[in-house]
Amino acid sequence: METNSKIFLNSFPVSGIRNINKKNLLNLISRAGTISRSQLANISGLTPPSVSKITRVMIQDGILVEQGTIDSTGKAGRKEINLSVNPESAYVIGISLTANRPKIVLSNAVGETLDTKDLSDLKFSEIDKTIGQIISRVKDIVFDNSIDKKKLLGIGVSAALSLGSTEDVLFSLPLGWKGVSLRDRLEKELNLPVKIEARASALLKAEISQLEIPKDIYLINVALNTGVSAFIGGGIFNPMLNGFGSISHLILDENGPKCLDCGRKGCFETLASGISLVKFAEKLKMKKESKDRQLHNLISQADGGNMKIKKLFFNAGKYLGQAIDSIKILFNPSMLIVAGEVGRQNDYAEGVNFKLNELGYKNIENFLRFSQITSEEAAKSVALDEFIFAKSFDVDQLKIASDR
């Protein structure tokens, strides 16, 4: 093993090792917010002189800043200076493309939201016009905030995608898109790299960024439709793009409503998704509006105490609890996260917990959590993860941005 390590190190460029060390320290500092050099050495496994040398260069490059002091763990009475990421060293754009509350968000290098642009007035069925308006509003948000374009590293897109999508060609039932080449047009007209993620994976990235030690995670995003993603073996796996791991058409009640997509009765989409709640509500002869608006109104009514609507959400949540039981048996993730505007609705969440208790699960809070991450935060996470904190990202690009 020692020989293999030496061979690997001898064949790996020294500059590559330095960049990896810089990257690891940058990630640690970002997660901590502020941290001392001695703490970095303890956590990273690098020697204190190495940490001092690397961080000194990053301070000179404008990537890090010194901020405040703490008591040293070494000599009595000695103070240590904390380090933090320079928020003005770089900027990214996040774009959330969902049927409800689509938005553009401008973020600095530490993930602080500087500005947003609403996209809810766009008609996504008018594809060329919609993309043109998105491009125009990205330019506006950069101009309005006087952002140095040379410090703008890229655009992350979180989108409500359907099966068959790739980064180059998007299919989206909620948006009414079939074979849309969004990335190509954004990159050509904005002259920036673009990363596109399915919404569930974007939400998962946002969740992982808040965990000290990421675990194996399975995330279910319940909105109008349902998306899933997983963090397995240290990497994001997106089941929606190839079908594996999706629960949308998992049969939960063989006597339930027939699904127009899979052709079977009682699948998850017909019993526990946002679209199923809208269809059940239509039987109550509610006001007819767009499905995303109907769902938003249903959530408001349930939160406002409408007992009929509260019961609809509770019963739908019980079906998700049943689906979670299947996921636990098949995948046994150490953590399971329920996200989305339906997933985090109180009555829906109560239904999930009720069913899991009924099935005999104990200490449910140890493996199940309900996400409060918003679409805006998810879109930011795609951009930050890809263009600032990704393992493959060259941290020296931040130096280049600062030099400009």
Side-chain angles (χ1 to χ4, degrees), residues 7 71 89 126 147 181 189 192 201 278 285 349 354 373 391:
I7 291 172
D71 291 330
S89 60
E126 300 175 359
I147 300 299
S181 301
E189 297 195 34
L192 286 168
S201 291
V278 169
K285 298 182 179 179
F354 178 88
I373 297 291
K391 290 180 180 178

Side-chain angles (χ1 to χ4, degrees), residues 24-39:
N24 289 339
L25 292 180
L26 184 64
N27 276 313
L28 289 171
I29 296 167
S30 174
R31 283 181 178 273
T34 59
I35 190 170
S36 71
R37 291 169 176 81
S38 62
Q39 289 171 323

Side-chain angles (χ1 to χ4, degrees), residues 298-319:
L298 283 172
I299 292 171
S300 295
Q301 289 189 49
D303 292 343
N306 185 315
M307 295 308 296
K308 285 186 177 179
I309 307 302
K310 286 171 73 70
K311 187 175 180 180
L312 278 180
F313 278 90
F314 181 81
N315 288 337
K318 288 198 295 183
Y319 281 115

Side-chain angles (χ1 to χ4, degrees), residues 169-187:
V169 182
L170 307 184
F171 294 86
S172 174
L173 185 61
L175 301 179
W177 285 7
K178 294 182 180 180
V180 176
S181 301
L182 177 66
R183 184 172 73 168
D184 182 62
R185 188 165 169 191
L186 290 180
E187 290 186 336

Side-chain angles (χ1 to χ4, degrees), residues 1-6:
M1 185 65 70
E2 183 179 343
T3 303
N4 289 339
S5 298
K6 288 179 179 178

Side-chain angles (χ1 to χ4, degrees), residues 8-67:
F8 171 77
L9 289 172
N10 288 335
S11 64
F12 201 82
V14 173
S15 60
I17 296 173
R18 288 198 191 110
N19 193 58
I20 290 171
N21 289 337
K22 278 174 138 182
K23 190 69 193 174
N24 289 339
L25 292 180
L26 184 64
N27 276 313
L28 289 171
I29 296 167
S30 174
R31 283 181 178 273
T34 59
I35 190 170
S36 71
R37 291 169 176 81
S38 62
Q39 289 171 323
L40 281 173
N42 289 334
I43 297 170
S44 68
L46 295 173
T47 64
S50 293
V51 169
S52 293
K53 182 178 179 180
I54 293 169
T55 55
R56 182 171 62 251
V57 171
M58 287 201 282
I59 290 170
Q60 292 170 351
D61 292 342
I63 300 169
L64 300 180
V65 292
E66 294 182 320
Q67 187 175 29

